[in-house]
Amino acid sequence: MNKGFLPINKPKDWTSFDVVNKVKHILHDNKVGHLGTLDPMATGVLVLTIGKATKLFDLMQVKKKTYIAKFKFGLETDTLDITGNVINRCERTPNLDKIKSILPKFIGEIEQIPPKFSAKSINGKRAYNLARENVDFELKPSIVNIERINVISYLDSELKLEITCGSGTYIRALGRDIAYMLNNYATMTELVRTNVGNLKLSDCFNIDELNSENISSKIIKIRDILGFKVLNLEKEISDKLINGQVVSLNMPNGDYLLNGNVDTIAIVKIRDFKAKMSIFLGI
């Protein structure tokens, strides 16, 4: 049975769920998920989880992500990207020096109000559905972490940035907030996710090159992605861990891989020299 990660270069105008459903159809397996939604207009690294690797969502969500984004100053849309309806305009254009001077204010842990056209849940309903129905609602700010922002270019009032950030960051909202600090408006015109953890765009497969004959060979093993240290244990001790027992191991605190003949069979957590299986991934 397949398990692992499948990095896809998501095509423009596909939803993340379109990609998931396509891979489910190719694999004839419903156990396919993804790590971090990309908007339909965005392209780039979309990491799919296959089989028991879907259990690793929380572990993989801590991985940093890198984006290249373009923002057009002078207008704001209701979706905060170029697919939306214009709701604000401004004739001024900020100069590059001023832009560079305020970017450090967005580095580190910051508060960010998600876009109203987002998948955030409001009383059990998706925010984007409420927004489409013109329902008036407010979204609470979230704490997000932005590691770095580099200016790539600035031409004809369009700013191109490279952004490395933690999960939960809305790049559209970052563009909005940068513009607001400049007493301006901005909307995102292009977004490419270039990295998720150590998976790069060059590691990704195009969805149209996958088929039932080759897809299994494209799936990356769990042990090749997580980067945890491997426990080399006698079978008797491994069996105890797999059966849910706590065993004593003279090793530092942390998460470890328990590997089988083919791939990782469990994640083991060690605390105060006591080891216990935290996630079973199948033999």
Side-chain angles (χ1 to χ4, degrees), residues 42-275:
T43 63
V45 182
L46 181 69
V47 182
L48 303 191
T49 56
I50 310 297
K52 293 289 182 66
T54 56
K55 293 184 175 184
L56 300 172
F57 179 85
D58 289 340
L59 283 177
M60 289 294 292
Q61 279 298 90
V62 302
K63 301 291 186 183
K64 295 172 186 174
K65 300 175 174 70
T66 300
Y67 299 85
I68 292 177
K70 289 183 179 179
F71 302 98
K72 184 76 172 178
F73 283 104
L75 74 158
E76 180 180 17
T77 67
D78 51 4
T79 61
L80 301 182
D81 63 35
I82 203 64
T83 67
N85 299 310
V86 176
I87 57 173
N88 289 303
R89 289 189 181 275
C90 177
E91 297 301 322
R92 300 185 306 277
T93 300
N95 65 57
L96 183 56
D97 288 340
K98 183 64 175 176
I99 294 170
K100 287 182 175 180
S101 73
I102 61 101
L103 289 182
K105 298 180 185 295
F106 295 92
I107 303 299
E109 286 193 345
I110 63 169
E111 279 195 348
Q112 183 184 77
I113 297 175
K116 287 197 169 183
F117 282 84
S118 68
K120 289 289 185 180
S121 180
I122 307 293
N123 297 323
K125 291 188 176 181
R126 296 295 187 186
Y128 54 72
N129 287 327
L130 295 176
R132 288 171 184 145
E133 295 167 6
N134 294 317
V135 176
D136 188 30
F137 65 95
E138 296 295 328
L139 285 166
K140 295 180 180 179
S142 302
I143 301 297
V144 299
N145 190 284
I146 298 177
E147 183 175 292
R148 62 187 177 92
I149 305 174
N150 293 331
V151 175
I152 297 175
S153 64
Y154 186 46
L155 183 65
D156 296 330
S157 73
E158 190 168 64
L159 178 67
K160 187 175 183 179
L161 299 176
E162 183 182 49
I163 302 152
T164 298
C165 57
S167 294
T169 306
Y170 284 91
I171 304 300
R172 288 176 286 150
L174 177 63
R176 171 201 63 200
D177 295 342
I178 289 171
Y180 283 179
M181 191 169 284
L182 294 164
N183 295 315
N184 213 296
Y185 299 113
T187 194
M188 190 175 72
T189 59
E190 186 177 302
L191 182 66
V192 181
R193 186 152 67 194
T194 59
N195 288 75
V196 174
N198 59 353
L199 287 170
K200 306 181 294 296
L201 192 55
S202 58
D203 298 318
C204 293
F205 303 101
N206 294 324
I207 195 70
D208 57 6
E209 69 181 283
L210 300 176
N211 56 56
S212 57
E213 284 76 34
N214 67 15
I215 193 167
S216 292
S217 67
K218 311 293 187 185
I219 297 172
I220 303 172
K221 295 184 185 301
I222 292 169
R223 64 190 184 197
D224 295 332
I225 293 295
L226 284 185
F228 296 162
K229 292 181 179 178
V230 176
L231 290 175
N232 295 305
L233 305 174
E234 295 177 359
K235 185 178 185 301
E236 181 182 356
I237 299 176
S238 294
D239 289 345
K240 286 181 178 180
L241 287 169
I242 292 171
N243 289 324
Q245 297 181 45
V246 177
V247 301
S248 296
L249 291 177
N250 187 21
M251 300 188 70
N253 289 351
D255 293 313
Y256 293 80
L257 302 180
L258 184 61
N259 285 340
N261 294 329
V262 178
D263 197 0
T264 301
I265 57 178
I267 307 298
V268 174
K269 190 179 293 292
I270 297 179
R271 294 292 182 271
D272 299 325
F273 308 113
K274 299 295 184 182

